Each structure stands twice: as C-alpha cells, then as structure tokens.
Amino acid sequence: MFLFFQQWRAECLKLLARKRTYLGFGAFFALEAAVLALVHIKGATHFKTLITRQGQVFDEYYSAPTLALILLMASVFLLGGIYMTLVSGDIVAKENEDGHMRMLLARPISRFRLLLVKYLTCVAYTVLLVQFIAWSAFLMGLAVTGWGGGFFAFVPELGIAAFYDWQTGMGKYIAASISLSLSMITVTSIGFMLSCMPIKPAAATIGALSYMLIDFILRNMGFMEDYKHLLFTHHMQAAGRVLAEEPAWPVIIRSFSVLGAMNLTFFLIGFGIFDSRDLKS
Amino acid sequence: MALLEIQHLTKQWKAGKLALDDVGFSVQAGEIVGLLGHNGAGKSTVMGIMLGMVHPDKGQVNIGGYSVQTQRAAALRQIGAIYEAAAFYDYLTGWQNLKALCSLSGYWDEAEARRIVKLVQLHDRIDAKTGTYSHGMRQRLALAQALLPQPKCLLLDEPTDGLDPEGITEFREFILRLRDEFGMTILLNSHLLGEVEQMCDRCVILREGKKVYEGIVPGRGENKVRFQLTSPDLQEGRVVCARLELKMDREGIVELPPPMEGHTVLRALVEGNVRVESWQPHKQSLEELYLGLRRR
C-alpha cells in the first residue's frame, strides 16, 4: 500500500511539474476575475430582479457564496471539461507518444497498477481543479461583497431557487462543490479511456470533448426525454440537486451510482485496450 | 546457470509479417551476449517481449526463473533496461527523473543513487533539467536509471546509437567494468558488429526473424583451428579435403577438428597436386561470420 502511494505521489508530482497543468487554473482565475469585475462595474441588476422577485432582500443574499455558485455552475462543465479532457487525454497517449511509457514499463510494475496510478492522478486533478474554481470564486466574491449574508442557491434547469442563512448556505455550497468534483470525474474517465487507445493525445482530448458535448446536446433535446437516464450529463445534474431545500437523495444516490459505474467501466475498457497493446515504436 | 532463457518466441505483426520465428537462446550469469541482426531482424521485438511490452504469439521468456509473461513484476525486478531511445521528462531534472522512475520499482536509496550518478559521471549536471542534456548525457542517465534497482542483469537496446566516438568508447569501457567489477550479466542489442566484437563473449544473430547463429564471438576464447588455402586449384583442394572428411568453403577456409594439424592437410594437398600459393591459419572475424551467414 505504501508503495502504491509512493507511486501515486510521483505521478502527481510529474503532473504538477508540467506547465500545461496550470492552464486550467489560470483560465478560470481570469474568467472569475473578469465576471466579477463586470458585476462590480455594471451592477448586479439581474441578481436584484431574481432575488427581489422571490420576496427576499437583495443586500442580504447578494453574497460571496451566491456569486461563487453562479460562476461555478456556469463554467465548470464546459470550460472545466476542456482542461480535464486535456489532462486525461494526455496522461497515457502523450506518454506513449513521447516514449516515456517504454521507460516506465521497463520497471517491475504491472500495466494495471500503472494505469490505476495514472487514473487516480487524473481524478485528483479533477477534484483539485473544481475545488480551486469553487474557492477562488468564493474568495473573489468575498472581495466584492464582504463576509456574511445569506446564500441564494439558483439552478434554473433543476427548478431550484432556495434561500439559506450563512451557515446553512456554506454547508450547501461545500456539498455542491464536492458533488460537482465527483460528477466531473466521469468527463475525466472518458478522456482517460480514449487516452489508452492507440491514438494521438489530441484525438483522445477531442474525442472526449465530443462525447461530452454530444451527450449534453442530446440531453437538451426534447425527443431524448424518455432516454435521458442513458446520458451521463443527466446524472451529473445530481451535483446541483444537493442545493435543494429538501434534496431528493434517492435520485442523487442513483445518479452517483450510475456515474461511479460508468467511471469503472471507462477505466476497465481503457485498461483492457492498453493491456492488449504491443508497446513498440 | 541461465539467467535469461528465451524459449520459442514467435511473433507476427498485424500486417502479416513474421517478426520472430521460433527464436530461442539463453544467457548465463556473468556473460555479455550480443544480439545482432540487420534493421528489422527482430532484435527490438525480442527485447520488447523480454520486458513484457510486446506480447508473443508463442513462447516465453524467463528471467532468473520467473516468467515475464506470467510473473512480470518478479521477473523485471532482476533487470535494468534501456529499451529503444531513452525518453525522459524534459521539464524535470535528471535527479527528479531518476526518483520518479525508481518509485515505480519501489526502490530508492539516495546514497546509492548518488553513487550511481557519479559512476556514470553525471553528478555535476544531475540537478539540471533533462531538456538541456546532450544525447550522451541522456544515455548516461538512462544507464543510471537502469542500474538503480541494483539489477543482476542489464538489457541494453542499441545503447550507443547517436553517441560520438568518445562517447562510444566511454560507454564500452563502462559496460566492461560493470561485468568485471560487479559480475553483471548483460544482453546487448546492436547492429554494430565492432561493438559486439569488442564487448561480448557470445552472440546471437537474427536474420528476418530467425536465429541463424548462437555461439562464441569469433576470436573470443575459441579453440577451433581454421586454415585458409590460397590456390588457383580450389576445386581440387576441396576434393582432397573431402577425402579427409573436411569441408572447405568458397573462400578456401577449412576448419580442422582436433587433433588434426595444418601440416597434415598441407601434405595431402601437395600430394594431391594442388598448387598451393599459401596455407595459413585463419582467424574469423565477426564480420566474416555475419556476412557468411547472410550469404547462406
């Protein structure tokens, strides 16, 4: 077990030593800064309308978690998906293309263990990136609105518009950020599976993004209503459901179970393909 | 005792070409064995199978009694390898690369790592990023990583490719030192005959996926006696040799079984009216052996 953690640590350090790993962090930081600057300069009339329409006091709910949640929900899936598939699409395919895989597999480590270490590194990156987005957005929100106030949880596609006090709101915000991290692992898993195939890293990234976007487009088409349970982006919505005043736990648990099963399937398919490959230039 | 046993390896690529056809040989502990062949002969495929990177269609490889195909980790714990071009993470330093690679083996001894880095003469650049390394330095780092699990055996796949003459000489001396001082077993894959001739005790020659020779590198501890006849009557010479149950090749070279001596054959040639211009001991070079096998 200690050896496994040692190997995982080395893989994480390798990932963190690469400049492109930080592209995602930089892009989100820039996006958050730009959006909050615009809100600050242009005024928050849109929020004001939304909050006051519900019969609540705007100043109370125009707070750091409210602003952070809007940024988080709007940007993580599309922009985050790009960076997650970039990292997971590279993790095996790029190493194979560059010849690193031959150096690694000349060592007494099984292909399964090596892939598991790499997969868990992608998972760690995904969680880290979503948490970075969540907390950097929160800190920027604090800079604009200051400490305290309520939390307005607004997820229109799920019909959620709930008002919480600071303490409950922070609990909900933390739960949402964790759920979002977990749900995004499926995007990473698709990139990882494709990365294990004998294709270029860019093809793995584009393939994973295409899968994600096709799934997302289908989810938003009326005729897929009866089949939406087959779409992973439908189950990813479970992340937003935890923000409801009374979350539908059976639905949330079912969705996360489906996502977990998909992650396992994508990993095993990736492993099966990689294990059968001959690694020779 | 055979440290490496390669048994009946057969591999066919998807295009239908038979890359290896029932190849088998063994390497004894403490030996340096050269794996020779033209480009595409199947040398790297053998290496790939030995490291578990290529799946054979038939056959298996045992390292120190462990099968690479069924007990990969245990088998690979016995060896260090440079397989194809050494590829490092250019954004990491040499030291970080070594650490990352060694973590996969579950082996990291800082003092030992420092010793090996000094041994390969990379100690003054080990903290620089490998992106700034020359080809020779990368090869030395590759050798350091191969030596770091303290292996019993080294598998080197064309290790001097791209090195300058000084680099090749240094590398050769280093490999010989490893065997002489540490008793290391080495399998060297190369297409450079001179390299194998100077470093290896035995060699295995592959041609179009088939083993065509396994034996002592000519001129190395060989006790075979060969003579070469120069004469306008080579055909008559062949007839005389056949009477003595000897075989003369196209170049007039005859291998004498012990205890037969050269003057016995010379007398028979002269008595058989063969015009002998010269009859002298012949030392076969690896190049002659290799080219001779190619002509067959």
Side-chain angles (χ1 to χ4, degrees), chain B residues 148-174:
Chain B
L148 266 171
Q150 292 186 321
K152 290 180 188 163
C153 173
L154 274 184
L155 303 185
L156 306 175
D157 187 11
E158 302 189 355
T160 55
D161 249 16
L163 289 184
D164 56 24
E166 288 87 352
I168 293 174
T169 309
E170 263 179 41
F171 195 85
R172 190 168 57 229
E173 284 167 1
F174 186 74

Side-chain angles (χ1 to χ4, degrees), chain A residues 126-179:
Chain A
T126 304
V127 172
L128 191 69
L129 183 61
V130 176
Q131 290 305 309
F132 170 83
I133 299 162
W135 295 106
S136 57
F138 179 76
L139 287 175
M140 285 194 187
L142 274 185
V144 174
T145 63
W147 187 264
F151 174 39
F152 173 41
F154 182 58
V155 189
E157 63 265 38
L158 296 175
I160 295 171
F163 293 87
Y164 301 104
D165 59 36
W166 176 262
Q167 207 172 352
T168 317
M170 283 309 294
K172 288 279 181 189
Y173 184 72
I174 291 168
S177 74
I178 293 170
S179 306

Side-chain angles (χ1 to χ4, degrees), chain A residues 80-256:
Chain A
I82 291 173
Y83 298 104
M84 285 158 200
T85 53
L86 184 70
V87 167
S88 61
D90 264 15
I91 198 127
V92 177
K94 183 91 171 95
E95 295 235 342
N96 201 35
E97 189 182 62
D98 292 347
H100 297 143
M101 202 52 96
R102 292 193 299 273
M103 297 286 284
L104 302 180
L105 284 172
R107 299 259 152 194
I109 183 169
S110 68
R111 291 191 189 196
F112 181 82
R113 181 180 272 230
L114 184 66
L115 288 192
L116 187 60
V117 162
K118 287 187 173 294
Y119 178 69
L120 290 179
T121 304
C122 291
V123 168
Y125 171 81
T126 304
V127 172
L128 191 69
L129 183 61
V130 176
Q131 290 305 309
F132 170 83
I133 299 162
W135 295 106
S136 57
F138 179 76
L139 287 175
M140 285 194 187
L142 274 185
V144 174
T145 63
W147 187 264
F151 174 39
F152 173 41
F154 182 58
V155 189
E157 63 265 38
L158 296 175
I160 295 171
F163 293 87
Y164 301 104
D165 59 36
W166 176 262
Q167 207 172 352
T168 317
M170 283 309 294
K172 288 279 181 189
Y173 184 72
I174 291 168
S177 74
I178 293 170
S179 306
L180 199 55
S181 296
L182 297 178
S183 67
M184 288 303 286
I185 292 171
T186 306
V187 175
T188 298
S189 302
I190 297 167
F192 180 85
M193 175 186 71
L194 293 173
S195 189
C196 293
M197 295 180 179
I199 55 176
K200 296 266 178 200
T205 300
I206 292 168
L209 275 175
S210 305
Y211 187 136
M212 185 183 94
L213 292 174
I214 289 168
D215 193 286
F216 178 70
I217 292 164
L218 288 175
R219 189 191 92 190
N220 289 301
M221 284 185 167
F223 63 83
M224 284 299 288
E225 194 58 32
D226 294 340
Y227 306 104
K228 64 185 178 188
H229 59 280
L230 299 173
L231 304 171
F232 81 93
T233 53
H234 164 74
H235 295 289
M236 282 176 72
Q237 288 180 310
R241 290 186 196 279
V242 298
L243 290 165
E245 277 179 51
E246 288 183 15
W249 290 113
V251 176
I252 294 170
I253 290 168
R254 188 183 62 193
S255 284
F256 275 112

